[in-house]
Amino acid sequence: MNMLHRRSLLLAACATALAPAVHAQRRGTARLLVGFPPGGAADVLARALSTQLHVDGAAYIVENKPGAGGRLAVVEAKRAAPDGRTILITADPILTIYPHVFKNLGYDPLVDLIPVATIAAEPMGLVVGPMVPASVKTLAQFVDWCKKNPTDASYATAAAGTTMHFLGELFAQSAHFALTHIPHRGAAAGVQDVLGGQIASTIVTMSQVLPHLPGGKLRTLAISSAKRSPRVPDVPTFVELGYPKIEALVYYGAYIPSATPAEVAQRITAEVVQASAAREMVNTREKMGVDDLKLSGPKFAEFFKADLERWGPIVKASGYKAEE
């Protein structure tokens, strides 16, 4: 084979290899929008998903758009071209609770977005620390302790206006006792204050406290899922302890602009479901200590709508209003 022929073959091979990249470039940038900085749960999940997700041959990149508690990314997603190139990855409170606490939200989840599929979910837990006597081993005993020690009856959360905040409000209302909410800047800060004995309890996603449970300084008295979690099989649910209304998950989902054509939405849904089931995503969820809710298409849309509607009365009863 002469040099000229060899060079021609090499150029042809390079052209073939570059074709998909050129095609993707012509299609424009495909992105997974995340409303928080790198390193958070939504970001980690989105990055794992991006390695598996390919719609119409386009590779997706994660674009972080932090600000306004995750709202900026939702506004960006609603305004995006409905061509499948922009997918929002977010935790549910930004779409299910924010509409009830902000007057000027900038989006209507039911009007502006199509729920595609869930990619992860986890229960919340009521967790107590050293401030609460070791003799308090059950949820009922904690309620009694709080009634006898009203100045110490409090719970920490990652922030005001979160699912954890309103789960605590719902619990206090249901059990007919006073439980003071103490918002923090992030779940980790709240957990540390409970560990240090400054605050009696925290309502937190279970992945945040799983590493601390073996040592015994933190005790989970109840979790918010419908069934017990295999990660903490000895911990009862609020439901089985007599609180049927306290059933909730924090879940992460994929959403697209509402004007996306049905055939494109169906194709994206199928791709996201497939990508979410890939080994990379399974491993990521396991490392994070979260699960797969496995809802997509109309079933996810129905679940999402019901979740949005049920938080309204709970938020209203709490009297909480977010500062704009």
Side-chain angles (χ1 to χ4, degrees), residues 193-212:
D193 276 355
V194 175
L195 274 168
Q198 287 84 35
I199 298 177
S201 67
T202 179
I203 292 181
V204 64
T205 51
M206 288 306 297
S207 62
Q208 292 283 340
V209 293
L210 285 174
H212 300 288

PDB file of all heavy atoms in Angstrom, residues 193-212:
ATOM      1  N   ASP A 193     -25.906  19.971  64.255  1.00  0.00           N
ATOM      2  CA  ASP A 193     -26.449  20.553  65.482  1.00  0.00           C
ATOM      3  C   ASP A 193     -27.201  19.520  66.317  1.00  0.00           C
ATOM      4  O   ASP A 193     -27.210  19.592  67.541  1.00  0.00           O
ATOM      5  CB  ASP A 193     -27.375  21.730  65.137  1.00  0.00           C
ATOM      6  CG  ASP A 193     -26.607  23.024  64.938  1.00  0.00           C
ATOM      7  OD1 ASP A 193     -25.379  23.033  65.162  1.00  0.00           O
ATOM      8  OD2 ASP A 193     -27.227  24.035  64.542  1.00  0.00           O
ATOM      9  N   VAL A 194     -27.826  18.568  65.649  1.00  0.00           N
ATOM     10  CA  VAL A 194     -28.487  17.489  66.379  1.00  0.00           C
ATOM     11  C   VAL A 194     -27.445  16.561  66.988  1.00  0.00           C
ATOM     12  O   VAL A 194     -27.558  16.150  68.153  1.00  0.00           O
ATOM     13  CB  VAL A 194     -29.460  16.715  65.467  1.00  0.00           C
ATOM     14  CG1 VAL A 194     -30.055  15.518  66.210  1.00  0.00           C
ATOM     15  CG2 VAL A 194     -30.577  17.629  64.985  1.00  0.00           C
ATOM     16  N   LEU A 195     -26.413  16.240  66.230  1.00  0.00           N
ATOM     17  CA  LEU A 195     -25.317  15.421  66.753  1.00  0.00           C
ATOM     18  C   LEU A 195     -24.651  16.074  67.959  1.00  0.00           C
ATOM     19  O   LEU A 195     -24.260  15.399  68.917  1.00  0.00           O
ATOM     20  CB  LEU A 195     -24.261  15.192  65.662  1.00  0.00           C
ATOM     21  CG  LEU A 195     -24.469  14.027  64.706  1.00  0.00           C
ATOM     22  CD1 LEU A 195     -23.506  14.133  63.527  1.00  0.00           C
ATOM     23  CD2 LEU A 195     -24.280  12.695  65.422  1.00  0.00           C
ATOM     24  N   GLY A 196     -24.523  17.407  67.893  1.00  0.00           N
ATOM     25  CA  GLY A 196     -23.866  18.135  68.974  1.00  0.00           C
ATOM     26  C   GLY A 196     -24.742  18.402  70.180  1.00  0.00           C
ATOM     27  O   GLY A 196     -24.274  18.946  71.190  1.00  0.00           O
ATOM     28  N   GLY A 197     -26.013  18.025  70.109  1.00  0.00           N
ATOM     29  CA  GLY A 197     -26.910  18.205  71.236  1.00  0.00           C
ATOM     30  C   GLY A 197     -27.508  19.585  71.353  1.00  0.00           C
ATOM     31  O   GLY A 197     -28.137  19.917  72.360  1.00  0.00           O
ATOM     32  N   GLN A 198     -27.354  20.420  70.320  1.00  0.00           N
ATOM     33  CA  GLN A 198     -27.933  21.765  70.364  1.00  0.00           C
ATOM     34  C   GLN A 198     -29.426  21.767  69.999  1.00  0.00           C
ATOM     35  O   GLN A 198     -30.165  22.657  70.406  1.00  0.00           O
ATOM     36  CB  GLN A 198     -27.194  22.712  69.407  1.00  0.00           C
ATOM     37  CG  GLN A 198     -25.813  23.127  69.877  1.00  0.00           C
ATOM     38  CD  GLN A 198     -24.750  22.108  69.512  1.00  0.00           C
ATOM     39  OE1 GLN A 198     -24.826  21.485  68.456  1.00  0.00           O
ATOM     40  NE2 GLN A 198     -23.776  21.932  70.385  1.00  0.00           N
ATOM     41  N   ILE A 199     -29.857  20.798  69.204  1.00  0.00           N
ATOM     42  CA  ILE A 199     -31.240  20.686  68.762  1.00  0.00           C
ATOM     43  C   ILE A 199     -31.699  19.255  68.991  1.00  0.00           C
ATOM     44  O   ILE A 199     -30.919  18.302  68.817  1.00  0.00           O
ATOM     45  CB  ILE A 199     -31.381  21.075  67.278  1.00  0.00           C
ATOM     46  CG1 ILE A 199     -30.962  22.539  67.083  1.00  0.00           C
ATOM     47  CG2 ILE A 199     -32.817  20.890  66.779  1.00  0.00           C
ATOM     48  CD1 ILE A 199     -30.993  22.988  65.635  1.00  0.00           C
ATOM     49  N   ALA A 200     -32.956  19.095  69.366  1.00  0.00           N
ATOM     50  CA  ALA A 200     -33.457  17.771  69.731  1.00  0.00           C
ATOM     51  C   ALA A 200     -33.524  16.808  68.558  1.00  0.00           C
ATOM     52  O   ALA A 200     -33.155  15.631  68.681  1.00  0.00           O
ATOM     53  CB  ALA A 200     -34.834  17.902  70.378  1.00  0.00           C
ATOM     54  N   SER A 201     -34.019  17.298  67.408  1.00  0.00           N
ATOM     55  CA  SER A 201     -34.280  16.381  66.307  1.00  0.00           C
ATOM     56  C   SER A 201     -34.105  17.064  64.965  1.00  0.00           C
ATOM     57  O   SER A 201     -33.932  18.284  64.878  1.00  0.00           O
ATOM     58  CB  SER A 201     -35.714  15.839  66.404  1.00  0.00           C
ATOM     59  OG  SER A 201     -36.654  16.884  66.170  1.00  0.00           O
ATOM     60  N   THR A 202     -34.148  16.267  63.931  1.00  0.00           N
ATOM     61  CA  THR A 202     -34.139  16.790  62.568  1.00  0.00           C
ATOM     62  C   THR A 202     -35.052  15.929  61.711  1.00  0.00           C
ATOM     63  O   THR A 202     -35.195  14.720  61.957  1.00  0.00           O
ATOM     64  CB  THR A 202     -32.719  16.805  61.964  1.00  0.00           C
ATOM     65  OG1 THR A 202     -32.779  17.314  60.621  1.00  0.00           O
ATOM     66  CG2 THR A 202     -32.101  15.426  61.920  1.00  0.00           C
ATOM     67  N   ILE A 203     -35.687  16.556  60.747  1.00  0.00           N
ATOM     68  CA  ILE A 203     -36.384  15.805  59.705  1.00  0.00           C
ATOM     69  C   ILE A 203     -35.559  15.990  58.461  1.00  0.00           C
ATOM     70  O   ILE A 203     -35.339  17.121  57.999  1.00  0.00           O
ATOM     71  CB  ILE A 203     -37.825  16.294  59.524  1.00  0.00           C
ATOM     72  CG1 ILE A 203     -38.643  15.945  60.779  1.00  0.00           C
ATOM     73  CG2 ILE A 203     -38.471  15.644  58.301  1.00  0.00           C
ATOM     74  CD1 ILE A 203     -40.094  16.337  60.727  1.00  0.00           C
ATOM     75  N   VAL A 204     -35.074  14.893  57.922  1.00  0.00           N
ATOM     76  CA  VAL A 204     -34.023  14.947  56.922  1.00  0.00           C
ATOM     77  C   VAL A 204     -34.155  13.765  55.976  1.00  0.00           C
ATOM     78  O   VAL A 204     -34.729  12.729  56.337  1.00  0.00           O
ATOM     79  CB  VAL A 204     -32.643  14.937  57.646  1.00  0.00           C
ATOM     80  CG1 VAL A 204     -32.434  13.630  58.387  1.00  0.00           C
ATOM     81  CG2 VAL A 204     -31.489  15.221  56.697  1.00  0.00           C
ATOM     82  N   THR A 205     -33.664  13.905  54.761  1.00  0.00           N
ATOM     83  CA  THR A 205     -33.624  12.754  53.862  1.00  0.00           C
ATOM     84  C   THR A 205     -32.663  11.721  54.441  1.00  0.00           C
ATOM     85  O   THR A 205     -31.615  12.063  54.985  1.00  0.00           O
ATOM     86  CB  THR A 205     -33.166  13.172  52.451  1.00  0.00           C
ATOM     87  OG1 THR A 205     -31.953  13.921  52.547  1.00  0.00           O
ATOM     88  CG2 THR A 205     -34.226  14.001  51.751  1.00  0.00           C
ATOM     89  N   MET A 206     -33.026  10.465  54.301  1.00  0.00           N
ATOM     90  CA  MET A 206     -32.277   9.418  54.985  1.00  0.00           C
ATOM     91  C   MET A 206     -30.827   9.290  54.514  1.00  0.00           C
ATOM     92  O   MET A 206     -29.957   8.900  55.289  1.00  0.00           O
ATOM     93  CB  MET A 206     -33.013   8.083  54.833  1.00  0.00           C
ATOM     94  CG  MET A 206     -34.291   7.986  55.653  1.00  0.00           C
ATOM     95  SD  MET A 206     -34.034   8.345  57.418  1.00  0.00           S
ATOM     96  CE  MET A 206     -32.916   7.020  57.873  1.00  0.00           C
ATOM     97  N   SER A 207     -30.562   9.618  53.269  1.00  0.00           N
ATOM     98  CA  SER A 207     -29.185   9.523  52.778  1.00  0.00           C
ATOM     99  C   SER A 207     -28.241  10.425  53.556  1.00  0.00           C
ATOM    100  O   SER A 207     -27.037  10.160  53.637  1.00  0.00           O
ATOM    101  CB  SER A 207     -29.123   9.872  51.283  1.00  0.00           C
ATOM    102  OG  SER A 207     -29.551  11.208  51.061  1.00  0.00           O
ATOM    103  N   GLN A 208     -28.787  11.509  54.148  1.00  0.00           N
ATOM    104  CA  GLN A 208     -27.958  12.447  54.900  1.00  0.00           C
ATOM    105  C   GLN A 208     -27.510  11.889  56.247  1.00  0.00           C
ATOM    106  O   GLN A 208     -26.497  12.338  56.800  1.00  0.00           O
ATOM    107  CB  GLN A 208     -28.728  13.757  55.126  1.00  0.00           C
ATOM    108  CG  GLN A 208     -28.973  14.564  53.875  1.00  0.00           C
ATOM    109  CD  GLN A 208     -27.741  15.308  53.407  1.00  0.00           C
ATOM    110  OE1 GLN A 208     -26.800  15.533  54.165  1.00  0.00           O
ATOM    111  NE2 GLN A 208     -27.720  15.677  52.142  1.00  0.00           N
ATOM    112  N   VAL A 209     -28.251  10.939  56.790  1.00  0.00           N
ATOM    113  CA  VAL A 209     -27.934  10.456  58.136  1.00  0.00           C
ATOM    114  C   VAL A 209     -27.479   8.998  58.190  1.00  0.00           C
ATOM    115  O   VAL A 209     -27.007   8.545  59.232  1.00  0.00           O
ATOM    116  CB  VAL A 209     -29.138  10.644  59.091  1.00  0.00           C
ATOM    117  CG1 VAL A 209     -29.399  12.111  59.330  1.00  0.00           C
ATOM    118  CG2 VAL A 209     -30.378   9.949  58.558  1.00  0.00           C
ATOM    119  N   LEU A 210     -27.618   8.262  57.091  1.00  0.00           N
ATOM    120  CA  LEU A 210     -27.241   6.844  57.104  1.00  0.00           C
ATOM    121  C   LEU A 210     -25.832   6.600  57.652  1.00  0.00           C
ATOM    122  O   LEU A 210     -25.634   5.663  58.442  1.00  0.00           O
ATOM    123  CB  LEU A 210     -27.371   6.248  55.698  1.00  0.00           C
ATOM    124  CG  LEU A 210     -28.797   5.965  55.208  1.00  0.00           C
ATOM    125  CD1 LEU A 210     -28.780   5.521  53.745  1.00  0.00           C
ATOM    126  CD2 LEU A 210     -29.484   4.925  56.070  1.00  0.00           C
ATOM    127  N   PRO A 211     -24.826   7.416  57.279  1.00  0.00           N
ATOM    128  CA  PRO A 211     -23.471   7.166  57.805  1.00  0.00           C
ATOM    129  C   PRO A 211     -23.360   7.361  59.320  1.00  0.00           C
ATOM    130  O   PRO A 211     -22.450   6.820  59.944  1.00  0.00           O
ATOM    131  CB  PRO A 211     -22.611   8.208  57.066  1.00  0.00           C
ATOM    132  CG  PRO A 211     -23.389   8.580  55.853  1.00  0.00           C
ATOM    133  CD  PRO A 211     -24.814   8.507  56.282  1.00  0.00           C
ATOM    134  N   HIS A 212     -24.271   8.133  59.930  1.00  0.00           N
ATOM    135  CA  HIS A 212     -24.179   8.427  61.364  1.00  0.00           C
ATOM    136  C   HIS A 212     -24.934   7.426  62.237  1.00  0.00           C
ATOM    137  O   HIS A 212     -24.734   7.400  63.455  1.00  0.00           O
ATOM    138  CB  HIS A 212     -24.744   9.823  61.643  1.00  0.00           C
ATOM    139  CG  HIS A 212     -24.038  10.928  60.921  1.00  0.00           C
ATOM    140  ND1 HIS A 212     -22.774  11.352  61.259  1.00  0.00           N
ATOM    141  CD2 HIS A 212     -24.421  11.698  59.865  1.00  0.00           C
ATOM    142  CE1 HIS A 212     -22.400  12.335  60.461  1.00  0.00           C
ATOM    143  NE2 HIS A 212     -23.379  12.556  59.603  1.00  0.00           N
TER     144      HIS A 212
END
